[in-house]
Amino acid sequence: MSTSESGKTEPVTIRVLDREYTVGVSDTERASLTAAARMLDTRMRELRGTNKMVSPDRLAVLTALNLAHELQQLRDDAGHHDGDAFKLLDEANAKLDALLPATP
């Protein structure tokens, strides 16, 4: 977790798959960290399903891989949309150029 400008962090305890972890976090990050921990716990439980024998390490890596893949897809989509925005701007500039008188 990152630290605030003053560098002050306070411990917060989160619970993932019935295990507790204490993490130092700033006040401004507390809610976000708690939400992230809930999402991680939910995803790990979904992936584990009814198979209680799966290794927690393997489960953690597979969950992290799934979340990283989703993040990468969002980044790729955002980059694609950025390209769309540049294409629209180029088309608008071309139309404006066509409307302006040519300079000698």
Side-chain angles (χ1 to χ4, degrees):
M1 305 321 94
S2 62
T3 58
S4 63
E5 289 179 15
S6 65
K8 184 177 178 184
T9 62
E10 297 200 15
V12 68
T13 301
I14 58 169
R15 193 168 185 83
V16 177
L17 281 185
D18 303 321
R19 288 187 171 174
E20 288 189 350
Y21 301 89
T22 302
V23 182
V25 65
S26 70
D27 266 352
T28 59
E29 294 176 319
R30 180 182 296 264
S32 180
L33 175 70
T34 304
R38 279 193 306 270
M39 179 181 67
L40 178 61
D41 182 65
T42 299
R43 295 289 186 93
M44 289 180 77
R45 288 177 188 280
E46 288 171 356
L47 194 58
R48 180 182 67 181
T50 58
N51 184 0
K52 306 276 186 187
M53 299 306 291
V54 66
S55 157
D57 292 345
R58 179 174 171 78
L59 188 58
V61 169
L62 291 174
T63 304
L65 181 60
N66 284 339
L67 290 170
H69 183 244
E70 288 177 26
L71 177 61
Q72 186 60 47
Q73 287 179 319
L74 289 171
R75 286 181 175 167
D76 290 346
D77 287 348
H80 173 72
H81 293 305
D82 286 347
D84 288 346
F86 286 122
K87 183 178 176 185
L88 286 172
L89 285 172
D90 286 341
E91 290 171 1
N93 280 334
K95 288 178 182 177
L96 287 173
D97 288 342
L99 292 174
L100 293 174
T103 54

